[in-house]
Amino acid sequence: MNPAATVSAGPGPGRPPTAAPGDLLRRLRARHDADPVTHVERVPARPGEPVPWPDWAPEELRAALARRGVAAPWRHQAEAAELAYAGQHVVVATGTASGKSLAYQLPALATLLADPRATVLYLAPTKALAADQLRAVAGLELDGVRPATYDGDTPRAEREWIRRHSRFVLTNPDMLHHGILPGHAHWSGFLRRLAYVVIDECHTYRGVFGSHVAHVLRRLRRQSGSPGRASSPALAGSRKAPVFVLASATSGDPATAAGRLTGLPVAAVTEDTSPRGGVTFALWEPPLLPRDPSSEAVDLAPVRRSALRETADLLADTVAEGVRTLAFVRSRKGAEVVAANARRALDEAVPGLGDRVAAYRAGYLREERRELERALLHGDLLGLASTNALELGVDLVGLDAVLICGWPGTRASLWQQAGRAGRSGDEALAVLVARDDPLDTYLVHHPEALFGRPVEATVLDPANPYVLAPQLACAAAEAPLTPADLDLFGDGAKEAVEELVAAGALRQRPTGWYWRHRERPEVDLRGEGGAPVCVVEASTGRLLGTVDGGSSHFLIHSGAVYLHQGVSYVVDSLDLADGCALVHAEEPDWSTHARDVTSLSVVSVRSYADAGPVGLFLGEVDVTSQVVSYQRRRIASGEVIDTRPLDLPARELRTVAVWFTLSPQSLALAGVEAADIPGALHAAEHAAIGLLPLMATCDRWDIGGLSTAVHPDTEAPTVFVYDGHPGGAGFAERAYGTAAAWLRATRDAIAECGCEAGCPSCVQSPKCGNGNNPLSKPDAVRVLDVVLANLPSDDSPSPTLSRGGSTAPALPGDDSPTPADLPAASPAAAGSPGAGSPAPVLPRQDDRAAVRPSTDADVGGAG
C-alpha cells in the first residue's frame, strides 16, 4: 500500500473503462496520416520497500495514518524522518508521488504530539499546494495540532486566531516576507517555539526568486533561534533553532542546493523506494502545415501545426475516450486557448461534453481555483488545461494521462508533470508535444537528452547584490543588524551594508546597523516587475483577474486581446499608475502580439577566455527595452493586419550576460560575407537562447539576447545572451561554464533541421523584436563552427581575466575592466577587430527576457 495514497472519489458519472496507455497511444497516432510520434519510452513499474515505523512515532499518529491508508513508511521516508527527528537538516529528493509529505509530516507531527508547546511552519511556493497539505494534515484529526493556512486569501478575522492558537501554520515565502517577519513581535510565541521549518518543492526556488527566498529563510532563522545547527526537537529544554526539512523533485546535487537555500549543512535522501506504476512516454511532433497553393512565394519557411492546437485536439480525444487528462501549458493565454479549443471540438461531437473541460491559471479568483480543484478531484471534470501550478505536489488521484504542451524548461519539471498521471499506482500515459522551436525540435529527435540523463541542479545566487542589499534592508527594518548577522547572510553582506550606509538607508551605531526610514523596504521576491495589475470589465466593474506588473506591457496594453475562462476581451486602456486595465467583451478574429526594441551596453567583465579569433566573456550589462507597438494577426491564417504604435515607458535592467566575439577575418575565412554577418549572428543568437535551457534550470522566457555585426563596446561581431532578472539569476554563469557543450548542441540543432532557409524549429524566435529578420541559417552554422573550433573542448573555459565580487564566486584577480578594456577578439586575430566590415551597426535582439508568462497559477501572496 502506498504510504502517500489517498482515496479517489471515482471517475465521475458516465466514465467508461480507461484504455491501457499503449492502446490509447496507438489510437491517438492512428488519427494522423503521418506518424507524429518520434520516440516512445517505456518507464517500467517498480515495487516499493516498506519498513517498520520508527520507535518514536506515537501510536496516535500511526493510527491516524493507518486510517488514511498508510500501513507503513517506505524506506526513504523513514530515513529522512529519522534524520530530521535527530536534529539533522535534511532534504528528501525523490520522484513525483513518492510520498515526500510523510517524510516531514512524521517527525513534525510526532514532535507536536510529544511537546504541546512546539510549533511547525510549512512553506509552499503556491497556495494550491498549501491548501492541499492543509487537507492532508487536518484529515488526520490529531488533537492539539490545529493546522491553518496563513496567506493572502486568509480573512483578516482569522489571522489573529492563527497567530495565537495554530501550531502548524501553512504559508508561502511571500507571506513570510511581507506579513510574518515584519510582524515578528506578534509571532514571537510561535517563532520562539518553532521546532521544524518545512520547505516543500524546494527545487522551484531557483534564479532570483530562489535567491530572495534564501535570504527570507535567513531572516526567519534570525528571528526563531540561533543560526547554528539545531539539536533534536524531541528533547525538551531551552530555546533551540528549528530543524529544516526540505522536499524536492529529483534534482542534481540536492544537498548543495538545499544548503545554499538555507545556509545550513543539509543531508540528502535521494533513493526513491516507493512503488511506481509504469509510464508510457511519447515524444510527439506536430505535422507540417500544407503550403498555400495560391502563394507565389517559394522561399517560405515550413511551419508546423501549433503545439497549442495539437494539445487541444489530443485533450479532446482523450476526454472523448473517458480518460481523465491534465494538459500542462506554458502560459495563461495558452491554457485558455487549449481549453477553449478542446471544449469546442467536444461539443461538436457530443453536445455538452465540452463542459467536462476547463482551464486553470494564474489570475483566477480564489473561489474559482478551489472549485476547479474540487471538480477535478471528484471527477466532474475529465480534462483540465493548466499552467504549472498543478505540476507541484497537489495530490491529484485517478489521472490517466498527462499532455505537456512544449518543453517545460527543465527535466525536473518534465518528470514532475509526467508524474501527475498514474498517482494511484496504475499505468499512465505521458505525451510531450513539441513546439516549433529549436529546443523542442532538438529534444524530440534526441531522446537521449531526456531519458537516462540526470536532472539539472538548481541554480540560485544569494550573493547577487540586487537581492542581498534589499534583503539586508528588510532584516534591519525588523531588528538592527549585528556583525553576527552579516555572517548569517554570507558573502558580500559586509560590502552591501556599507553601501546601504553610504546611501543613507542604514545608520551605523555601536550596537549595530539601524534602518533609517519609517516605511519598510519594498522588495519583489518573484522579480515580476511590480505589483499586479487588475483587469476590470469596464461596463460592470467586475474584477476578472490580475496580471503581474512585469507582463502587463505585453499582455494587457491598450488594444490587446485578453482571455479569461474562454471569453475574449479587448483592453480599452491600461493605467500603470493605478494598476488597472479596463476591458470589454469582444470576439475579434485577430490576435495581438506586442513588439519591443532593446539596446545593451557592457558595464564590466568578470571573466573571459581568449580563444584566438574568438573571445568568450561573462560580465555585467545594462539592458534597456521598450514595448513600442503591437501587431494584429488573423487567427485563421496568421496574416498581419496592421502594426499599431504604443506609448509605454522604457524599462532598464542591469544583469549578467555571457557573450562571444569573433574577428571579421575569421568569419570571412569561414565563408560568411560581410553583408551576411547580421543575419548569421541573429540566427545563432536565436538558436543559442532556445538551447540554453538544456544546460541550465531556466526556460526561454528567463533569458534574452542581442546580436550585432559591430557592437560599440566590443568593436567586433558579437552575440549576447543575458539573464532577464536584475543582477542576474545564475543562468549566464551556467552558459559560460558549459559554453562548448551549449554551443555544440545549438550548432547541431540548426544543422540537423530539415528546412532550407530557417524556420521556428531552428533559428526563428517567437519573441523576436525584429520580426525574425534578417536570418541566415547556413551562415549561423558557419559562425558556430568558428566558435567551436577555437573554444576549449572541456566545456570549462579557463579565464584569462576575471574579477571578484559579490555577484558571483570570486575568481583569481581583482581587475574590474571597463568596456574600453575589453578585447574585441584575440590579438592573434589578423587586423583590427571590426576593421573592414561594411555591415551596419544594427542590433538584432530577442525580446521579453525580463517578462515571463506567469505560468504558476495561484502563487503565494501576502494579500
Side-chain angles (χ1 to χ4, degrees):
M1 184 175 293
N2 189 334
T6 59
V7 179
S8 171
R15 179 186 176 196
T18 302
D23 294 336
L24 175 60
L25 180 60
R26 278 191 292 274
R27 289 203 291 275
L28 296 175
R29 297 168 77 170
R31 296 170 188 178
H32 292 259
D33 295 332
D35 190 358
V37 174
T38 61
H39 179 80
V40 177
E41 187 80 8
R42 170 66 183 166
V43 182
R46 176 187 65 207
E49 297 181 38
V51 297
W53 290 107
D55 293 338
W56 44 262
E59 182 58 35
E60 179 184 357
L61 178 56
R62 298 187 199 186
L65 291 169
R67 290 193 300 270
R68 201 173 70 182
V70 182
W74 307 123
R75 177 163 55 81
H76 69 274
Q77 294 172 321
E79 289 177 0
E82 289 279 12
L83 287 169
Y85 197 74
Q88 170 66 59
H89 309 292
V90 62
V91 56
V92 53
T94 52
T96 306
S98 59
K100 293 186 286 288
S101 297
L102 187 67
Y104 54 74
Q105 288 175 2
L106 190 57
L109 294 174
T111 299
L112 293 183
L113 293 173
D115 181 356
R117 292 178 52 80
T119 59
V120 172
L121 182 67
Y122 169 93
L123 298 175
T126 67
K127 298 176 186 175
L129 179 54
D132 186 72
Q133 284 295 300
L134 175 65
R135 286 191 291 267
V137 175
L140 295 175
E141 299 180 343
L142 298 171
D143 290 338
V145 173
R146 299 189 294 274
T149 55
Y150 190 86
D151 57 31
D153 292 337
T154 304
R156 296 284 175 181
E158 296 179 14
R159 298 188 179 192
E160 179 63 25
W161 184 93
I162 293 171
R163 283 195 295 265
R164 291 180 176 274
H165 302 293
S166 177
R167 300 176 61 219
F168 197 120
V169 172
L170 301 99
T171 187
N172 52 67
D174 307 79
M175 196 65 175
L176 181 61
H177 164 66
H178 288 291
I180 295 176
L181 291 176
H184 61 88
H186 300 292
W187 287 86
S188 59
F190 181 91
L191 295 174
R192 188 167 53 247
R193 303 191 301 272
L194 194 57
Y196 287 98
V197 176
V198 177
I199 306 173
D200 208 353
E201 305 291 0
C202 67
H203 63 281
T204 63
Y205 301 123
R206 62 174 179 83
V208 167
F209 178 42
S211 302
H212 273 295
V213 172
H215 288 300
V216 172
L217 295 177
R218 285 157 176 77
R219 287 161 51 200
L220 173 64
R221 290 171 53 201
R222 188 171 173 245
Q223 298 296 338
S224 61
S226 62
R229 177 179 173 181
S231 60
S232 172
L235 303 177
S238 61
R239 179 181 181 185
K240 300 171 292 294
V243 175
F244 281 74
V245 186
L246 302 95
S248 171
T250 303
S251 64
D253 199 4
T256 298
R260 190 178 297 120
L261 183 65
T262 61
L264 295 163
V266 179
V269 175
T270 58
E271 184 181 359
D272 191 338
T273 59
S274 65
R276 181 184 62 195
V279 179
T280 299
F281 207 131
L283 304 183
W284 187 289
E285 185 174 43
L288 290 170
L289 293 174
R291 291 182 180 272
D292 184 356
S294 65
S295 173
E296 298 180 358
V298 296
D299 59 348
L300 291 177
V303 177
R304 293 195 177 274
R305 193 165 187 262
S306 161
L308 291 175
R309 288 187 175 272
E310 196 79 354
T311 303
D313 284 353
L314 287 171
L315 180 59
D317 289 342
T318 56
V319 169
E321 294 264 0
V323 175
R324 199 183 304 186
T325 307
L326 181 61
F328 284 106
V329 189
R330 298 291 302 277
S331 69
R332 302 179 185 185
K333 186 174 182 179
E336 294 278 4
V337 168
V338 167
N341 287 342
R343 283 196 297 264
R344 187 177 303 113
L346 288 166
D347 282 334
E348 289 175 358
V350 180
L353 188 56
D355 293 340
R356 307 291 297 277
V357 175
Y360 186 110
R361 64 164 178 82
Y364 282 2
L365 302 180
R366 179 190 185 188
E367 295 75 15
E368 293 174 313
R369 295 193 303 265
R370 299 299 172 255
E371 175 57 25
L372 288 170
E373 293 162 17
R374 185 208 63 78
L376 185 64
L377 288 170
H378 288 271
D380 299 331
L381 287 175
L382 277 180
L384 192 65
S386 171
T387 51
N388 69 347
L390 295 181
E391 168 188 325
L392 303 179
V394 177
D395 198 6
L396 302 176
V397 295
L399 294 180
D400 307 307
V402 164
L403 308 174
I404 303 169
C405 182
W407 170 245
T410 65
R411 283 183 288 271
S413 289
L414 181 77
W415 289 108
Q416 278 288 101
Q417 293 182 4
R420 292 298 96 183
R423 286 175 63 84
S424 56
D426 296 331
E427 294 283 316
L429 174 66
V431 180
L432 173 62
V433 181
R435 290 171 302 171
D436 205 2
D437 79 2
L439 181 54
D440 285 37
T441 302
Y442 179 87
L443 290 173
V444 294
H445 291 284
H446 292 80
E448 70 279 1
L450 292 177
F451 304 108
R453 292 278 301 273
V455 298
E456 307 87 350
T458 303
V459 176
L460 69 151
D461 180 16
N464 180 339
Y466 289 84
V467 172
L468 179 56
Q471 287 292 334
L472 284 168
C474 291
E478 291 157 6
L481 293 169
T482 66
D485 292 330
L486 301 190
D487 293 336
L488 174 64
F489 284 93
D491 294 339
K494 187 175 186 299
E495 294 80 0
V497 164
E498 291 172 351
E499 292 177 4
L500 288 169
V501 171
L506 297 182
R507 176 181 288 112
Q508 186 171 7
R509 291 286 184 262
T511 53
W513 292 269
Y514 290 73
W515 178 245
R516 296 187 61 177
H517 305 290
R518 184 183 301 274
E519 303 82 10
R520 285 187 48 76
E522 289 291 333
V523 178
D524 178 10
L525 292 191
R526 296 177 185 265
E528 292 176 340
V533 178
C534 297
V535 181
V536 177
E537 189 172 28
S539 61
T540 65
R542 180 167 64 103
L543 175 65
L544 297 178
T546 60
V547 171
D548 65 83
S551 299
S552 60
H553 289 207
F554 290 91
L555 300 182
I556 51 173
H557 56 77
S558 296
V561 176
Y562 175 80
L563 291 177
H564 182 79
Q565 291 198 341
V567 178
S568 293
Y569 298 84
V570 173
V571 179
D572 299 317
S573 63
L574 170 62
D575 189 328
L576 293 171
D578 289 340
C580 180
L582 297 179
V583 303
H584 69 271
E586 184 179 341
E587 293 285 345
D589 64 351
W590 39 264
S591 59
T592 53
H593 305 264
R595 303 186 66 180
D596 73 350
V597 294
T598 301
S599 62
L600 181 150
S601 61
V602 176
V603 177
S604 64
V605 170
R606 293 184 187 176
S607 178
Y608 80 81
D610 185 341
V614 173
L616 179 69
F617 300 81
L618 178 72
E620 289 80 22
V621 297
D622 281 335
V623 181
T624 302
S625 63
Q626 183 177 18
V627 175
V628 295
S629 64
Y630 69 98
Q631 288 182 339
R632 297 193 304 159
R633 301 178 191 171
R634 298 283 182 200
I635 293 176
S637 64
E639 172 195 358
V640 176
I641 301 172
D642 57 21
T643 299
R644 300 189 173 190
L646 291 170
D647 183 18
L648 290 167
R651 288 173 165 173
E652 296 183 355
L653 172 74
R654 175 162 292 187
T655 186
V656 178
V658 58
W659 65 95
F660 61 83
T661 60
L662 306 96
S663 71
Q665 291 74 19
S666 68
L667 293 177
L669 290 173
V672 182
E673 299 292 336
D676 296 329
I677 290 176
L681 298 178
H682 193 198
E685 171 221 328
H686 280 182
I689 289 173
L691 270 292
L692 182 54
L694 195 62
M695 305 295 164
T697 50
C698 66
D699 61 42
R700 188 170 196 141
W701 301 94
D702 284 314
I703 49 182
L706 181 142
S707 56
T708 178
V710 184
H711 191 274
D713 290 335
T714 66
E715 299 181 349
T718 310
V719 172
F720 293 88
V721 176
Y722 59 85
D723 292 355
H725 302 268
F731 308 135
E733 284 93 336
R734 178 67 175 163
Y736 181 81
T738 61
W742 166 42
L743 297 176
R744 171 66 61 188
T746 301
R747 188 262 180 210
D748 291 346
I750 301 173
E752 293 172 6
C753 184
C755 70
E756 294 181 6
C759 68
S761 295
C762 56
V763 298
Q764 292 184 2
S765 169
K767 57 186 185 126
C768 180
N770 291 93
N772 287 298
N773 183 53
L775 290 175
S776 176
K777 174 185 175 179
D779 287 325
V781 175
R782 297 185 182 102
V783 164
L784 292 168
D785 281 340
V786 173
V787 175
L788 291 167
N790 290 279
L791 276 186
S793 60
D794 62 356
D795 299 346
S796 300
S798 300
T800 57
L801 174 67
S802 59
R803 66 177 286 265
S806 58
T807 58
L811 296 167
D814 56 3
D815 295 303
S816 297
T818 64
D821 299 321
L822 307 186
S826 167
S832 171
S837 174
V841 185
L842 292 176
R844 307 293 177 185
Q845 71 275 338
D846 254 348
D847 57 5
R848 287 195 278 183
V851 184
R852 305 164 311 286
S854 292
T855 56
D856 188 3
D858 196 18
V859 297

